[in-house]
Amino acid sequence: MKFFGKGVKGVNKGYFGLRRCSVCNDELRDVDLVEMHEVNYVCFVPVRNKIGMRILVCKQCNSYMEINNKLWEYYNSYYNRRFNKTTTDNIVKILNDMSSQMAQKGVKLNVDNKADEQSLDLIYKGLTDKYKVWENIEEIISVFFKD
């Protein structure tokens, strides 16, 4: 802590979902949302505290990715309806099972492949009907089927 000056403080807001971590060989990893606060000190007392940036931190290797303001505005639009870890894990299990069945038939879906859009839309519709929060479903599918 400083007598006078500026500092940075990270505030972990908890589980935020899944991402493919480039440090972990693009494996699916749980991530936490961390808000980085700029803090001004006067006589050891923090007098002003503002959010400088938001980052997603891989729970496996602690690498991070910054969330820009535009992306944060989108995430914030459904922040209070984001899935918890249990729900996310259930959805990933469904996607893993589907992926395994498709792989047995030689099919591998990818969000970047235009030819796969209709199949991904069907999966998206089925999961949205069950879990309701379309934004979160879209996010999970885009991360899961990203190569």
Side-chain angles (χ1 to χ4, degrees):
M1 183 174 295
K2 298 181 179 191
F3 186 70
F4 283 103
K6 294 182 178 189
V8 177
K9 175 182 168 188
V11 177
N12 190 328
K13 302 301 256 181
Y15 180 77
F16 197 76
L18 295 171
R19 292 295 179 277
R20 290 209 176 265
C21 179
S22 58
V23 175
C24 296
N25 295 321
D26 286 328
E27 294 291 326
L28 281 176
R29 298 291 190 224
D30 293 330
V31 293
D32 282 343
L33 172 65
V34 176
E35 292 179 342
M36 302 304 291
H37 294 259
E38 296 175 7
V39 183
N40 291 314
Y41 294 96
V42 175
C43 300
F44 299 112
V45 177
V47 291
R48 197 174 85 208
N49 191 354
K50 85 172 198 184
I51 297 175
M53 70 174 157
R54 291 175 181 86
I55 58 176
L56 297 179
V57 179
C58 175
K59 288 187 164 212
Q60 185 76 24
C61 70
N62 289 322
S63 65
Y64 67 90
M65 136 183 153
E66 185 176 352
I67 301 173
N68 64 36
N69 289 334
K70 185 177 179 181
L71 188 55
W72 175 249
E73 286 176 26
Y74 176 69
Y75 288 154
N76 199 36
S77 70
Y78 65 100
Y79 184 70
N80 62 341
R81 296 177 291 134
R82 288 189 69 80
F83 298 145
N84 60 28
K85 179 166 174 36
T86 303
T87 303
T88 302
D89 287 347
N90 288 339
I91 293 168
V92 168
K93 182 183 180 327
I94 291 167
L95 294 175
N96 274 324
D97 292 346
M98 292 172 86
S99 234
S100 293
Q101 291 172 5
M102 287 185 285
Q104 290 173 356
K105 297 182 187 328
V107 176
K108 185 172 191 234
L109 298 178
N110 184 332
V111 294
D112 295 328
N113 186 347
K114 282 282 208 194
D116 295 342
E117 280 183 8
Q118 287 183 327
S119 299
L120 291 169
D121 285 347
L122 288 172
I123 294 169
Y124 166 81
K125 183 180 178 341
L127 290 172
T128 301
D129 289 348
K130 182 174 182 178
Y131 292 99
K132 308 297 183 220
V133 184
W134 67 267
E135 300 96 337
N136 220 162
I137 296 295
E138 180 180 65
E139 181 182 324
I140 293 170
I141 288 174
S142 68
V143 169
F144 186 89
F145 290 107
K146 180 78 174 164
D147 259 347

